[in-house]
Amino acid sequence: MDTHPGLQEHISALADGELAAHELELAFAALDTDAGRQAWQAYRLIGEALRTGQDGVALSAGFEARLARRLAGEAAPAPAAVLATVAPAVEQLDIGIVPQR
C-alpha cells in the first residue's frame, strides 16, 4: 500500500463512513488506482475484523479492554448525520454504490 498517506486517510475515513462530502471525489480518485484499491481492501478487512471479532488472530492479554477504553474516549459520529452528508454525494457520482437507508 504505497498510496500517499493523505489519500490513505481519505480511504480509511470513507471505509469508516467518516469522510466529509467535499472529500469524496479525491477518495474515489484514489480508489481508481491499484494502491487505492489495496488500501480500501485492507481498511475494509480491518473494519470487518473489528466489528465481528473473527479475525483469526490471537490478541495479547488485555488488548480488547485497552481498545475499548480508548474507543470509549472518542466521540462517535451519529450514523444518520454521516449518511445525510455522504449519501447525496455518492449518488451523484453514479459509480454503482447504492447507500443503504
Side-chain angles (χ1 to χ4, degrees):
M1 263 190 326
D2 61 353
T3 308
H4 185 275
L7 295 180
Q8 285 187 20
E9 291 176 17
H10 281 85
I11 293 169
S12 176
L14 177 66
D16 293 340
E18 298 175 352
L19 189 65
H22 70 276
E23 297 176 317
L24 283 171
E25 188 173 341
L26 181 60
F28 285 121
L31 292 175
D32 200 29
T33 67
D34 287 337
R37 284 186 292 276
Q38 289 174 358
W40 171 260
Q41 181 69 5
Y43 289 124
R44 190 190 64 75
L45 290 173
I46 290 166
E48 184 66 24
L50 289 172
R51 284 187 295 280
T52 65
Q54 298 176 353
D55 58 9
V57 176
L59 302 174
S60 64
F63 175 82
E64 187 174 336
R66 289 190 308 272
L67 178 61
R69 280 193 302 271
R70 288 186 69 179
L71 291 176
E74 294 185 13
V82 172
L83 185 58
T85 301
V86 175
V90 170
E91 289 170 353
Q92 288 179 345
L93 292 173
D94 192 27
I95 60 170
I97 297 175
V98 179
Q100 297 178 3
R101 295 194 177 150

